[in-house]
Amino acid sequence: MPDRLSPLELMTKLVSFPTVSSSTNLPLVGWVEEYLSGHGITSHRYADPDEPKAALFAHVGPLEEGAVVLSGHTDVVPVEGQDWSTDPFKVVEKNGRYYGRGTCDMKGFDALAIWALVEAQYAGVTRPLQLALSFDEEIGCVGAPPMIRAMQPVLPKGSAVIVGEPSEMQVVTGHKGSIGFEIHARGFEVHSSMPDKGVSAIMSAAKVIDWTNTVNDTNRAAEPTDLAAVFDPPYTTAHVGVVRGGTAHNITAKDCFFLLDIRIVPGESAGMWGDRVRDRLREVEAGMKAVVPQTGFDIIHEHTVPPLVPEEAKEAETLARMITGDNGTHVVSYGTEAGQFQEAGYSAAICGPGNIAQAHQPDEYISRAQFEAGHAFMKSLLRRLQT
């Protein structure tokens, strides 16, 4: 039987796996699976059919519905191009902080959740506890929906999901939805001295990219609705985070690829914003085709993330508030898998250690105080599950 690792030892192990979304997470999943098995816990995988990736979920306690589900993701964002002062895949403690990629977002919470599951196995609980670790959250929350579908015929359905995204242990009950696109602009190459004979994919894409500035300016200037007013910023935002394309400075670009993301306030729909994006693509494409008919735009990939909407039943919210003592109203502008659990019929709330401002940054960290607060949360949760 393996040792029962501490939360810090578990986080250190998890961070050591470089599970950037573009890479496999199977070594991490395999290690967690083996660790849980060593403590008598059976875990289950959902294997992605297209990529070497998997989700992992497990259940401890009575085989009945009503479990508390601790939900986290295993993937992290890239470190390339960031100026790290420590090894990003090694936890380094200094000045009251634990540095490392994913310590904040969100392997710190994953470690605490794994610790709690093992402790629940040994303590014995009258209310079950479940663990759900997804993949590909960082590229659009695409790994959680198939995991949730795979969980339901295998595990008794949980009734309260705590998604441990960094919220400084505040109980978050609402977040924006989103819709994202990977778009390919197809141009026609000619020498840049006669641009009217060709179509630049980059310059055509730029017209769509600049449209996002117009969207933001217009939305910023409008009076926010009551539903939107609680968010920061209190309006739907559009953003392009990656652009690549072109061959040389004197050739009109044949290809340009860009990622467009829209964060949507409640009361507005992903479908409406998807239609607006497509309308803008068609407008720009008409001008491209007038020069060279075979040019245009392709949407390579599209994903949507539902918002997290404050609930009337509030089981997850009530549980998290009872443990933390937090009675404030908190919403966030980033998306999470909480809305996807909610969409599947679970009560869901966000409550996790760390500050989102540290997520995705060079020298990402979680403070020791926040990590210990997360540990205290798990200890209190375990006591409640035993009564």
Side-chain angles (χ1 to χ4, degrees):
M1 182 176 294
D3 293 337
R4 286 155 70 175
L5 301 180
S6 70
L8 179 57
E9 289 170 327
L10 287 164
M11 180 171 67
T12 299
K13 185 65 178 180
L14 296 179
V15 169
S16 72
F17 294 100
T19 51
V20 177
S21 303
S22 57
S23 303
T24 182
N25 74 335
L26 293 182
L28 181 151
V29 168
W31 183 86
V32 175
E33 196 171 46
E34 183 178 355
Y35 178 71
L36 295 180
S37 177
H39 293 288
I41 301 172
T42 299
S43 54
H44 309 269
R45 289 191 188 198
Y46 166 77
D48 185 85
D50 302 315
E51 300 284 346
K53 300 177 181 179
L56 186 81
F57 47 93
H59 178 107
V60 164
L63 283 174
E64 61 188 33
E65 294 189 351
V68 175
V69 184
L70 301 176
S71 166
H73 60 80
T74 60
D75 59 318
V76 296
V77 297
V79 299
E80 285 76 16
Q82 294 188 332
D83 186 18
W84 282 74
S85 60
T86 63
D87 182 343
F89 298 109
K90 181 178 179 181
V91 173
V92 176
E93 181 180 2
K94 58 181 179 179
N95 301 321
R97 298 171 175 177
Y98 298 115
Y99 290 87
R101 174 57 86 218
T103 51
C104 177
D105 185 19
M106 61 181 301
K107 290 179 176 179
F109 177 84
D110 293 347
L112 292 164
I114 294 167
W115 177 86
L117 196 73
V118 170
E119 293 303 308
Q121 173 77 344
Y122 286 102
V125 288
T126 57
R127 181 180 181 181
L129 182 67
Q130 294 179 358
L131 173 72
L133 299 179
S134 70
F135 61 93
D136 281 356
E137 190 272 349
E138 296 291 5
I139 56 173
C141 295
V142 299
M147 176 190 71
I148 295 167
R149 290 192 294 270
M151 288 172 63
Q152 297 196 47
V154 176
L155 303 183
K157 189 170 182 177
S159 60
V161 180
I162 305 298
V163 178
E165 293 281 358
S167 69
E168 294 192 309
M169 301 309 300
Q170 294 180 329
V171 182
V172 172
T173 58
H175 67 60
K176 292 183 179 181
S178 69
I179 185 167
F181 301 88
E182 180 181 359
I183 300 171
H184 175 203
R186 295 176 284 105
F188 185 79
E189 293 177 308
V190 297
H191 195 279
S192 62
S193 63
M194 46 182 189
D196 57 322
K197 305 297 183 183
V199 174
S200 168
I202 290 176
M203 296 178 71
S204 299
K207 295 178 181 179
V208 179
I209 294 169
D210 188 54
W211 170 79
T212 65
N213 290 321
T214 301
V215 166
N216 290 335
D217 291 343
T218 301
N219 289 353
R220 186 183 301 112
E223 185 73 21
T225 65
D226 290 342
L227 287 173
V230 294
F231 289 90
D232 182 17
Y235 53 87
T236 292
T237 58
H239 173 253
V240 173
V242 174
V243 181
R244 57 184 175 87
T247 303
H249 76 281
N250 58 353
I251 302 174
T252 58
K254 180 181 178 182
D255 298 289
C256 181
F257 299 85
F258 61 102
L259 304 182
L260 191 157
D261 176 78
I262 298 177
R263 304 287 173 143
I264 306 165
V265 295
E268 300 177 6
S269 72
M272 179 269 285
W273 279 102
D275 289 343
R276 289 193 62 182
V277 170
R278 292 183 184 87
D279 287 345
R280 182 55 182 160
L281 291 174
R282 282 191 288 267
E283 289 173 2
V284 177
E285 186 177 71
M288 299 166 69
K289 288 185 176 297
V291 180
V292 180
Q294 65 264 37
T295 60
F297 291 100
D298 298 316
I299 295 176
I300 300 173
H301 177 71
E302 177 181 342
H303 68 266
T304 60
V305 177
L308 175 64
V309 181
E311 301 170 346
E312 293 185 7
K314 300 182 178 179
E315 184 173 355
E317 176 187 346
T318 299
L319 174 64
R321 290 194 188 283
M322 289 174 65
I323 294 173
T324 62
D326 174 29
N327 291 314
T329 299
H330 309 290
V331 298
V332 294
S333 293
Y334 58 82
T336 78
E337 296 168 339
Q340 294 169 323
F341 274 100
Q342 189 179 69
E343 197 171 55
Y346 294 79
S347 174
I350 300 165
C351 186
N355 188 315
I356 194 64
Q358 275 76 60
H360 303 187
Q361 299 298 309
D363 287 345
E364 177 183 348
Y365 70 86
I366 186 171
S367 72
R368 186 191 303 124
Q370 278 291 301
F371 195 58
E372 290 174 352
H375 194 190
F377 179 97
M378 295 300 175
K379 290 177 181 177
S380 179
L381 172 62
L382 289 171
R383 289 193 293 270
R384 292 175 182 277
L385 297 180
Q386 294 175 67
T387 59

